[in-house]
Amino acid sequence: MKLTIKFRLMEVKDIDQVVKIEEKSFTTPWSTEAFQNELTNNQFSTYIVMEEGENIIGYCGTWIVIDEAHVTNIALLPDYRGKGLGELLLRNVMDVLRKLGAASMTLEVRVSNHIAQSLYQKLGFKPGGIRKNYYSDNNEDALVMWVNL
C-alpha cells in the first residue's frame, strides 16, 4: 500500500487530532490548551503536521529563537511508526527551519529511547549533554542532541 503524504503548517483546527497523537505517544501528553497557546500566543513556534489523506498521522513542534531551533515535541501515530515516516517528517521540518533562518537545531530525547536517538544520529544530530531528571513522569535523564542546519 502506497501512502500519500503531505506536510503543512499546523492550524488551530488540527489541535484535536494532534492531541490524540500526543495521548498515544507520551505518558505526560500536552493538553489542548497548551497547543492552543503555542499556535495563537507563541511568536517563536512553528508546528508542522504530516497528513495521509485527510488524517493527521504525525506532527513536530519547534521554537525558533534568533537562529536556533528547539524541537518541543515530535510524534507519529503508533500504526505509522517503523516505516521511515519519522525520518521523512523530521527532514521536512529541518528544511522548513532552514528556510526560516535557523542555523542549528536541538532536542531532548530520553536516554532509554535508542530508536529515536538512532534516527537523530542518522540525520546528523550529535550528543551535547545530559539534562538530569528531565522527564517528570519517571525522572529519567534526557540526552540533549544538536545538529547544524
Side-chain angles (χ1 to χ4, degrees), residues 90-101:
L90 195 51
R91 283 186 187 279
N92 177 273
V93 169
M94 291 168 82
D95 287 343
V96 168
L97 295 173
R98 258 186 228 103
K99 290 173 185 162
L100 292 174

Side-chain angles (χ1 to χ4, degrees), residues 21-109:
I21 297 169
E22 272 282 301
E23 290 170 347
K24 292 179 180 187
S25 302
F26 302 112
T27 54
T28 52
W30 282 24
S31 65
T32 297
E33 294 75 20
F35 284 106
Q36 180 83 29
N37 186 58
E38 286 292 290
L39 294 181
T40 59
N41 297 325
N42 185 346
Q43 66 181 355
F44 303 109
S45 74
T46 300
Y47 280 73
I48 304 291
V49 294
M50 174 186 244
E51 292 179 313
E52 203 286 305
E54 298 299 313
N55 297 316
I56 295 172
I57 61 168
Y59 73 95
C60 181
T62 62
W63 294 345
I64 302 173
V65 180
I66 306 174
D67 65 349
E68 186 179 293
H70 184 132
V71 174
T72 56
N73 38 20
I74 183 169
L76 290 173
L77 283 171
D79 289 348
Y80 292 89
R81 295 178 192 159
K83 303 177 188 326
L85 296 173
E87 179 179 347
L88 193 63
L89 174 59
L90 195 51
R91 283 186 187 279
N92 177 273
V93 169
M94 291 168 82
D95 287 343
V96 168
L97 295 173
R98 258 186 228 103
K99 290 173 185 162
L100 292 174
S104 64
M105 184 174 181
T106 186
L107 53 76
E108 291 90 8
V109 58

Side-chain angles (χ1 to χ4, degrees), residues 113-132:
N113 191 345
H114 301 292
I115 292 172
Q117 289 175 38
S118 176
L119 168 61
Y120 302 145
Q121 288 170 355
K122 181 178 181 180
L123 296 177
F125 284 82
K126 304 273 189 242
I130 297 286
R131 294 198 200 285
K132 296 300 248 176

